[in-house]
Amino acid sequence: MQQLQNLLNHCYVNVPYYRRIFDERRLLPKDIRSFRDLRKLPCLTKDIIMKELNNLIAKNIPKSKLASLRTSGSTGIPLILYHQKVIADSIESAFIWRMWNWSGYKIGDRCVILRENTPKKSARDKENWWEWDPIYNYLILSPHQMTEENLYKYVKKIREFKPTAIQALPSLIFILASFMERHGIACVSSLKAILCCSETLFSWQREIIERVFKCRVLDFYGQTEHVVLAGGCEINNTFHIFPEYGITEIIGQSDEPVSQEGALGEIVGTGFYNYAMPFIRYRTKDIAVWTNERCNCGRAYHLLKRIEGRLQDFVVSKTGHLIPLTTIPYSFINNVWQFQFYQEVQGEVILRIVRMPDYTVKDSQYILATLKEKMGDNVEFFIEFVDDIARSKREKYLYLIQKLPIGLGGTLS
Ligand SMILES: [Zn+2]
């Protein structure tokens, strides 16, 4: 509450948009005395940020101290946001490192990096597929050269390095784990944890990663806007919401906070640390599953059972129901090198597949039968073979390209 009070006072004095919000409602920061009172203030949306960008930047912070960031807007047009240089990254790192420490991985321990970072010297050069960063003790492996032939070299390099942990994009560590399982290559015995970041970790990815590496797979949820941070601990995969980072609300269809076990809601967050461009009750458009349980690790944090990802990570059935991508089974991707779902028609989904040499028509039949069994008759799947599936600029892998406009509650907005 003290953190919130400090932030609201700052907003009232220095941020024109919030000053207007308070004045229009005849409120003062001191009128917000509880988390419940916070709901007297409206939510901040991406559309409002587009319109009010200049009014959302604090007047008392010099322009030279601002760092701009990009995130995707509601209509696909990039949205510009501002943070305070150095402060934003430092605080973010502190929270993430604390969580990673729970897994037994400490700063300075040997760690493999398999994410958007690339070795500095001409990253796409075949000879420069790895680099050692002595400051953090990182072995950085290129995400661009993970072909079937090269992966033997990757595994050898990792074994020689004897890492305590691997920081990885789920889609990349999944490629490595599948490769190792396919060829019967045993895990790296020094590993204490796989630390996933930046992408949604699907349960079918977690299964195989845990099976191959035989260690904790830690996942966390955060966003460019830095309003909510939540992560797993040393014993439990549910997301512990870090209350020192900001205030998290899970808002259901009726705009009320959800409280029932298993209820779905949108993640709405108020971040404590961005004084340059404060986000109060920011609608992330990400969907989470609420739980009233507490973790046995003893940290008394609220938990989120699952994060279903962005609203755009849902498939829409013929009847307009939203089906989370997280429920799609893993077992169907035998002999598949890469895959991606694509939807532009309600009830119809195209599955793009990059085949491995052993792929046959039987695999197609099995895939379609498995999907039908799991997803029912309400979604029809079609297979399309492609040569490659491109990653986004920041190396993120999209398992679903959703072209339909989606709103919470299963209705098309
Ligand atoms: Zn815990």
Side-chain angles (χ1 to χ4, degrees):
M1 279 308 297
Q2 186 60 58
Q3 290 263 38
L4 178 64
Q5 204 52 243
N6 294 348
L7 181 73
L8 295 177
N9 285 331
H10 163 72
C11 287
Y12 186 73
V13 176
N14 298 307
V15 185
Y17 169 77
Y18 288 115
R19 177 57 171 255
R20 201 175 74 224
I21 292 294
F22 275 106
D23 287 348
E24 281 169 2
R25 286 161 184 75
R26 296 176 192 280
L27 287 170
L28 289 168
K30 68 177 170 59
D31 296 325
I32 311 295
R33 289 190 207 97
S34 66
F35 297 130
R36 209 187 154 73
D37 284 344
L38 187 58
R39 284 162 51 204
K40 291 176 181 169
L41 301 177
C43 285
L44 179 68
T45 63
K46 292 187 179 204
D47 289 336
I48 295 174
I49 296 174
M50 282 257 211
K51 272 187 251 154
E52 302 272 358
L53 183 62
N54 288 328
N55 293 326
L56 276 159
I57 299 169
K59 291 182 296 186
N60 64 329
I61 296 179
K63 283 253 157 33
S64 62
K65 294 205 168 161
L66 299 181
S68 69
L69 295 156
R70 276 163 169 257
T71 184
S72 58
S74 55
T75 53
I77 303 161
L79 193 60
I80 307 287
L81 309 170
Y82 291 94
H83 281 172
Q84 213 168 332
K85 274 179 195 161
V86 186
I87 294 178
D89 289 342
S90 309
I91 288 172
E92 190 76 1
S93 294
F95 274 97
I96 290 170
W97 274 101
R98 181 185 64 168
M99 179 183 56
W100 284 351
N101 278 344
W102 297 342
S103 73
Y105 165 55
K106 306 277 185 266
I107 202 161
D109 284 353
R110 288 162 206 253
C111 183
V112 169
I113 306 293
L114 199 57
R115 44 192 297 190
E116 54 277 50
N117 316 42
T118 49
K120 284 192 188 70
K121 285 176 279 172
S122 62
R124 281 160 207 273
D125 181 337
K126 278 206 170 133
E127 296 309 311
N128 285 321
W129 57 276
W130 68 273
E131 183 179 65
W132 178 55
D133 171 354
I135 297 173
Y136 289 101
N137 209 353
Y138 285 165
L139 171 68
I140 302 167
L141 299 177
S142 167
H144 299 293
Q145 299 187 36
M146 297 181 69
T147 59
E148 191 83 3
E149 308 86 73
N150 282 349
L151 283 173
Y152 281 107
K153 289 198 293 186
Y154 276 62
V155 174
K156 188 162 175 271
K157 195 84 203 165
I158 294 171
R159 282 178 178 285
E160 286 167 2
F161 187 62
K162 299 191 179 68
T164 303
I166 301 179
Q167 286 179 38
L169 291 183
S171 60
L172 294 176
I173 192 77
F174 172 74
I175 291 175
L176 185 66
S178 317
F179 169 83
M180 288 169 72
E181 188 164 68
R182 226 166 25 244
H183 296 281
I185 301 171
C187 69
V188 182
S189 57
S190 56
L191 273 179
K192 287 185 183 162
I194 306 286
L195 312 165
C196 291
C197 26
S198 302
E199 292 174 344
T200 304
L201 171 69
F202 296 103
S203 56
W204 47 267
Q205 291 173 320
R206 179 189 283 279
E207 268 170 40
I208 184 167
I209 299 166
E210 282 177 345
R211 204 159 62 224
V212 169
F213 291 103
K214 299 187 171 49
C215 66
R216 288 288 301 145
V217 177
L218 237 79
D219 187 21
F220 74 90
Y221 163 79
Q223 57 300 112
T224 318
E225 296 85 344
H226 291 185
V227 291
V228 173
L229 194 67
C233 72
E234 61 274 48
I235 56 167
N236 198 325
N237 296 336
T238 47
F239 292 88
H240 302 52
I241 303 171
F242 302 149
E244 314 91 326
Y245 187 86
I247 295 167
T248 304
E249 300 169 77
I250 306 298
I251 304 284
Q253 279 178 56
S254 50
D255 276 342
E256 288 290 310
V258 302
S259 55
Q260 264 186 316
E261 189 67 27
L264 275 181
E266 182 177 349
I267 301 173
V268 174
T270 301
F272 285 151
Y273 298 102
N274 188 1
Y275 273 50
M277 184 174 167
F279 290 82
I280 293 174
R281 306 198 70 216
Y282 176 68
R283 299 192 75 131
T284 61
K285 295 218 162 201
D286 290 334
I287 304 299
V289 180
W290 180 255
T291 176
N292 291 308
E293 286 169 15
R294 287 290 185 275
C295 183
N296 288 333
C297 69
R299 299 178 188 99
Y301 297 160
H302 279 287
L303 300 178
L304 297 174
K305 202 165 213 146
R306 281 193 313 280
I307 289 170
E308 304 282 24
R310 307 165 312 149
L311 267 175
Q312 292 298 308
D313 285 338
F314 287 75
V315 161
V316 188
S317 76
K318 280 179 193 155
T319 49
H321 282 99
L322 296 182
I323 303 168
L325 202 57
T326 46
T327 60
I328 292 175
Y330 152 71
S331 59
F332 78 87
I333 38 182
N334 251 340
N335 291 328
V336 169
W337 179 244
Q338 284 179 306
F339 69 92
Q340 183 177 59
F341 294 99
Y342 177 91
Q343 183 169 37
E344 57 183 8
V345 178
Q346 196 171 327
E348 291 180 16
V349 175
I350 294 168
L351 173 57
R352 293 170 172 162
I353 288 178
V354 181
R355 287 168 287 183
M356 291 211 278
D358 292 340
Y359 189 98
T360 66
V361 69
K362 277 200 174 148
D363 289 305
S364 290
Q365 287 162 355
Y366 179 70
I367 288 169
L368 291 175
T370 312
L371 287 170
K372 195 181 172 78
E373 187 192 313
K374 198 79 186 173
M375 313 285 267
D377 284 331
N378 264 320
V379 187
E380 227 176 319
F381 288 89
F382 303 91
I383 291 178
E384 185 182 289
F385 299 118
V386 293
D387 292 333
D388 189 32
I389 291 167
R391 286 175 178 263
S392 74
K393 277 209 185 90
R394 298 189 59 204
E395 299 303 330
K396 282 196 193 186
Y397 191 92
L398 293 176
Y399 283 96
L400 170 68
I401 305 284
Q402 181 53 271
K403 295 288 184 188
L404 296 169
I406 293 182
L408 188 60
T411 46
L412 290 170
S413 57

